[in-house]
Amino acid sequence: MKFYNREKETFALQQIERLSASYAQMTVVTGRRRIGKTTLVGLTLDDM
């Protein structure tokens, strides 16, 4: 699945992933139903 206009969100999730190596973090992803929140997080963190 191709995500369009999600560069800011992907970059923020990647930064959070990098910072979590130094100290624990909890991230909450919110949004409307069925817009791909779980898929966005999954694909972003799989690419790391």
Side-chain angles (χ1 to χ4, degrees):
M1 171 182 266
K2 175 72 174 145
F3 283 104
Y4 296 96
N5 299 324
R6 294 288 183 226
E7 291 83 17
K8 290 190 304 185
E9 291 85 354
T10 303
F11 182 72
L13 287 170
Q14 289 172 345
Q15 278 188 319
I16 291 167
E17 177 69 18
R18 285 188 207 102
L19 291 174
S20 69
S22 301
Y23 55 93
Q25 291 190 2
M26 183 174 120
T27 304
V28 177
V29 179
T30 62
R32 295 188 324 257
R33 296 178 59 211
R34 304 186 53 87
I35 60 170
K37 297 178 293 290
T38 303
T39 305
L40 178 66
V41 171
L43 291 177
T44 301
L45 298 183
D46 283 345
D47 290 343
M48 298 282 305

